[in-house]
Amino acid sequence: MVPYILTILCVLVAGAIHWMAPKAYWKATLTSTVVILLFSITTLFIFQASGMLISEQTGENADFSGKLMTMTILMAFFGFLISLFVGWFLRVVRH
């Protein structure tokens, strides 16, 4: 459920940033990528602290300590793709 919540929120963030800056496509794309990256990492730590990331099979809490760099790179790539496609979609719809 957490990935779906993060995806919906990331699409909304990218849509809002691209809607506010329709002429500066690449600037809006990079801005929303950075916002999505920071937002995703923050929400994952909030979900971990609240106990939403407990494994159903083992009952253990998620541990991000050794995988934070890999997660940051993957989230940056995910944020860039979401921002790129949402921005492109809004650009096509507006014209």
Side-chain angles (χ1 to χ4, degrees), residues 3 5 15 18 24 29 33 50 55 61 67 69 80 88 93-94:
I5 293 171
H18 276 283
T29 300
T33 300
S50 68
S55 174
N61 203 358
K67 300 175 182 124
M69 189 59 153
F80 180 72
W88 176 79
V93 168
R94 281 188 154 186

Side-chain angles (χ1 to χ4, degrees), residues 7 32 35 37 39 42 45 60 62-63 67 72 81 83 91:
T7 302
S32 64
V35 170
L37 175 65
F39 183 72
T42 304
F45 281 112
E60 294 178 1
D63 182 27
K67 300 175 182 124
T72 303
L81 286 179
S83 180
R91 191 176 198 183

Side-chain angles (χ1 to χ4, degrees), residues 41 43-48 53 61-69 71 75:
I41 291 174
T43 53
L44 277 178
F45 281 112
I46 290 171
F47 286 151
Q48 180 188 19
L53 298 180
N61 203 358
D63 182 27
F64 301 143
S65 60
K67 300 175 182 124
L68 191 59
M69 189 59 153
M71 288 175 50
M75 283 184 200

Side-chain angles (χ1 to χ4, degrees), residues 6-7 9-15 17-18 25-41 70-88:
L6 278 176
T7 302
L9 293 175
C10 290
V11 168
L12 291 175
V13 165
I17 291 175
H18 276 283
Y25 177 74
W26 289 108
K27 182 180 177 186
T29 300
L30 293 177
T31 303
S32 64
T33 300
V34 169
V35 170
I36 287 171
L37 175 65
L38 295 174
F39 183 72
S40 296
I41 291 174
T70 304
M71 288 175 50
T72 303
I73 292 169
L74 291 174
M75 283 184 200
F77 180 69
F78 167 76
F80 180 72
L81 286 179
I82 290 289
S83 180
L84 192 71
F85 291 136
V86 168
W88 176 79

